[in-house]
Amino acid sequence: MSTVGAFASLFDSSGRILLVRHGYEPRQWSTPGGHVEPGESPVTALLREVTEEIACEIRISHLIGVYAKPYRDDFVLSFHGTIVSGIPHACPPEISDVVFSSRDSLPPELAFTRRIRIEDAFGGCRGIVRVFDSADSLAPSFDTHVT
């Protein structure tokens, strides 16, 4: 069965993106979001996950892209959003840290597919589709940018 995730790219007034660090191993950095539950829409899942992880309400403005890893049967939807209420903070035990990061200060241990999603958000992409065929390939096998 495929896994589907929905994640939000949220920027502050200085143009830095919000990153969260998971409280569970391997304690990776990502943008807020997570797994879409059976019967749940990606938008509903994203709103729920953001509330659970950083205690904020957001408004989704557009789809940045779709990121597929067929070798893992995994699909991620990345959305651009705006915080409309709350101040982002870590909500343990799921999230251990929250930080706004500029493009040139992203954590070096950021997983490559997450880094690509974040770079696409910084780049203002809309409707991009990227397919990664293997864990060994850093380049997508299919890449399209719809404007």
Side-chain angles (χ1 to χ4, degrees):
M1 183 171 183
S2 296
T3 58
V4 178
F7 293 84
S9 292
L10 306 168
F11 291 89
D12 68 6
S13 60
S14 298
R16 299 175 302 169
I17 196 166
L18 181 71
L19 299 178
V20 296
R21 185 173 206 152
H22 295 119
Y24 50 83
E25 292 301 325
R27 297 182 42 82
Q28 295 183 343
W29 288 98
S30 184
T31 53
H35 182 73
V36 177
E37 299 293 338
E40 187 177 42
S41 80
V43 169
T44 300
L46 181 56
L47 298 175
R48 174 184 51 77
E49 287 283 349
V50 168
T51 301
E52 290 173 2
E53 292 183 352
I54 63 169
C56 291
E57 290 183 27
I58 66 168
R59 179 178 19 262
I60 297 169
S61 59
H62 63 268
L63 176 71
I64 295 169
V66 178
Y67 303 82
K69 293 186 269 183
Y71 64 94
R72 291 188 59 199
D73 210 14
D74 182 58
F75 298 89
V76 168
L77 303 172
S78 179
F79 295 93
H80 183 279
T82 305
I83 296 172
V84 293
S85 100
I87 298 171
H89 65 275
C91 294
E94 190 170 356
I95 300 299
S96 64
D97 198 10
V98 173
V99 65
F100 279 98
S101 180
S102 65
R103 190 179 214 161
D104 59 355
S105 66
L106 294 171
E109 67 273 17
L110 197 60
F112 80 91
T113 52
R114 291 177 183 170
R115 183 174 297 276
I116 288 171
R117 276 195 287 123
I118 290 166
E119 288 292 338
D120 286 347
F122 273 116
C125 292
R126 289 176 179 247
I128 196 160
V129 176
R130 297 189 191 271
V131 178
F132 300 90
D133 286 330
S134 76
D136 300 327
S137 173
L138 297 181
S141 64
F142 177 80
D143 190 344
T144 183
H145 186 142
V146 178
T147 55

